Amino acid sequence: MKNPEKPLLLFLILASSLVSMATAKSTIEPCSSKDTCNSLLGYTLYTDLKVTEVASLFQVDPVSMLLSNSIDISYPDVENHVLPAKLFLKIPITCSCVDGIRKSLSTHYKTRTSDTLGSIADSVYGGLVSPEQIQVANSETDLSVLDVGTKLVIPLPCACFNGTDESLPALYLSYVVRGIDTMAGIAKRFSTSVTDLTNVNAMGAPDINPGDILAVPLLACSSNFPKYATDYGLIIPNGSYALTAGHCVQCSCVLGSRSMYCEPASISVSCSSMRCRNSNFMLGNITSQQSSSGCKLTTCSYNGFASGTILTTLSMSLQPRCPGPQQLAPLIAPPDNVPKELMYLPSPSPSPSPSPEFDDIAGGGSSIAAVPAASPGGATVSSSNSIPGNPANGPGGSISIASCPLSYYSFIALLIPIGSCFFVF
């Protein structure tokens, strides 16, 4: 006689594994003020898309998006360049405080033929949002049938945590965990530690599953602009760039440091004067003169944008030795493809200076060839819970259990009568 306990045990293991697959966690940050901050989304292209098409999905400036990923914006017609599927990008967004938690509600999507809430959430937006969250954000719209052209609010995850991590400047990236990811791999990719990731995301243990959304702190350079400047509080992740002052100024976070460097942008727009007052120095100019008493350093620095005016500051200092040239992140050519052999590899370990052959474009996802830049001439229904977090160090977030697709529950429901058959035999 066959032992009925063995097939029953296999059934229970299968059912429990499906339940674990059906739940995904995401980190939320409670808030009470109306202030906003800059944040990033980790997004993997689901198909080939033009730069403008990707930017349109998130309603962000295409040039700023390119610079966030250290892509050279001086290439002809760069905004219409076709980016390859599976490419990982950092998308700059504004993070707000909505109903007591940090999120972004500035993204809208017009439905197309064959769209479902599931395909919009999982494919178009790469798992950054769940079908249930789309339903809640559009509660006044009947989503039982999606008509072509229906305009949907897409709530997206984000975090501010006061722009710091362990008392140092940081910008936060919302990252969707992949099947091949590990906490150690994610920590290496983004130059952080497993302990820091665990604390920031209020995780009791460093356990992750595909579909989880982590808030990843990125080392950054913070600005010290006056509060009346429109770009007050500007913060830039290490090794990347940002446009400010109406696209007139391009700032970068110097590799391996906390020093922000700004200079005139490489795009043609009408700008106010960038000369430091009472001098011949232009924005970004740095001169050094070595003497027996040390190095005399003169710098024309950017100090914010106010009332249509680019603010500059001329400073002179005496240092023990003259600094070397600024080590800026190399700008890369707009990518045309993602090598298949690199597309699904685990997260590469970062290095202080990118390899001459391959560069991880956005510090995550697929690696692409780094060409040195040269100036050319169905809807789901589920529940959600919030588990308070109490990290030992760093910002205090909490974990939210995301929605579970009905297909998983339907499949489990189908297995239950099958499992009962094991008792018969």
Side-chain angles (χ1 to χ4, degrees):
M1 179 178 176
K2 293 183 179 180
N3 184 357
E5 293 182 1
K6 186 173 182 180
L8 176 59
L9 178 61
L10 293 175
F11 164 74
L12 292 175
I13 293 174
L14 176 60
S16 63
S17 65
L18 285 171
V19 170
S20 65
M21 289 170 58
T23 59
K25 302 182 293 293
S26 62
T27 297
I28 59 175
E29 177 191 357
C31 58
S32 58
S33 62
K34 295 183 179 180
D35 64 320
T36 62
C37 76
N38 295 325
S39 185
L40 294 167
L41 298 170
Y43 178 65
T44 301
L45 273 65
Y46 68 100
T47 188
D48 293 353
L49 292 171
K50 292 181 180 180
V51 170
T52 52
E53 291 173 330
V54 179
S56 179
L57 277 179
F58 297 94
Q59 281 85 66
V60 298
D61 175 44
V63 175
S64 295
M65 183 187 73
L66 290 173
L67 284 177
S68 292
N69 295 277
S70 298
I71 297 176
D72 189 5
I73 59 174
S74 67
Y75 276 71
D77 201 26
V78 67
E79 294 185 24
N80 288 313
H81 182 84
V82 177
L83 299 172
K86 303 298 182 182
L87 182 68
F88 182 91
L89 293 174
K90 292 182 292 188
I91 309 294
I93 61 169
T94 299
C95 187
S96 304
C97 183
V98 182
D99 299 327
I101 64 172
R102 291 290 182 187
K103 67 174 71 172
S104 173
L105 295 180
S106 60
T107 296
H108 297 83
Y109 177 81
K110 282 189 177 181
T111 57
R112 301 169 296 185
T113 305
S114 301
D115 271 342
T116 65
L117 293 186
S119 67
I120 294 169
D122 299 331
S123 179
V124 177
Y125 286 98
L128 286 165
V129 63
S130 71
E132 182 194 42
Q133 289 168 336
I134 297 177
Q135 282 185 318
V136 172
N138 298 273
S139 57
E140 297 182 359
T141 303
D142 182 8
L143 301 181
S144 57
V145 177
L146 287 180
D147 295 324
V148 174
T150 300
K151 191 173 183 180
L152 300 176
V153 174
I154 306 297
L156 294 170
C158 62
C160 295
F161 293 122
N162 296 320
T164 62
D165 176 47
E166 297 183 335
S167 302
L168 293 174
L171 200 67
Y172 285 84
L173 171 82
S174 296
Y175 179 78
V176 181
V177 175
R178 304 171 301 165
I180 60 174
D181 278 329
T182 64
M183 282 287 278
I186 295 171
K188 279 186 177 181
R189 175 188 301 171
F190 297 110
S191 301
T192 184
S193 67
V194 172
T195 299
D196 196 18
L197 280 177
T198 303
N199 290 337
V200 166
N201 291 279
M203 302 166 67
D207 300 324
I208 53 174
N209 294 300
D212 288 353
I213 302 177
L214 300 179
V216 180
L218 305 179
L219 299 176
C221 297
S222 61
S223 59
N224 192 29
F225 305 153
K227 288 188 176 182
Y228 57 82
T230 57
D231 47 2
Y232 169 76
L234 177 66
I235 185 169
I236 305 173
N238 198 264
S240 65
Y241 296 77
L243 277 182
T244 186
H247 284 193
C248 290
V249 177
Q250 178 175 303
C251 298
S252 62
C253 184
V254 178
L255 284 171
S257 77
R258 302 284 180 175
S259 175
M260 184 182 296
Y261 173 73
C262 300
E263 60 186 344
S266 59
I267 56 179
S268 299
V269 292
S270 178
C271 305
S272 65
S273 174
M274 299 191 198
R275 186 184 302 275
C276 271
R277 184 177 299 179
N278 300 325
S279 78
N280 292 323
F281 283 77
M282 296 295 293
L283 175 64
N285 286 168
I286 301 175
T287 64
S288 59
Q289 183 178 358
Q290 188 69 51
S291 67
S292 57
S293 58
C295 180
K296 182 180 179 182
L297 202 64
T298 305
T299 305
C300 181
S301 304
Y302 177 66
N303 198 37
F305 188 63
S307 303
T309 300
I310 295 173
L311 307 178
T312 57
T313 300
L314 185 68
S315 61
M316 290 174 282
S317 62
L318 186 65
Q319 301 185 4
R321 62 182 61 87
C322 291
Q326 295 281 4
Q327 298 296 316
L328 304 181
L331 289 169
I332 64 172
D336 293 312
N337 57 72
V338 179
K340 290 183 179 180
E341 65 271 17
L342 297 176
M343 193 175 293
Y344 300 107
L345 286 181
S347 312
S349 176
S351 58
S353 58
S355 163
E357 295 181 351
F358 295 104
D359 175 48
D360 194 316
I361 181 171
S366 306
S367 298
I368 65 170
V371 181
S375 298
T380 67
V381 179
S382 63
S383 61
S384 63
N385 301 297
S386 179
I387 304 174
N390 183 26
N393 297 294
S398 61
I399 301 175
S400 173
I401 308 301
S403 59
C404 312
L406 281 177
S407 55
Y408 287 118
Y409 294 117
S410 301
F411 190 51
I412 294 173
L414 178 63
L415 286 176
I416 292 175
I418 296 175
S420 65
C421 293
F422 288 131
F423 289 105
V424 176
F425 293 104

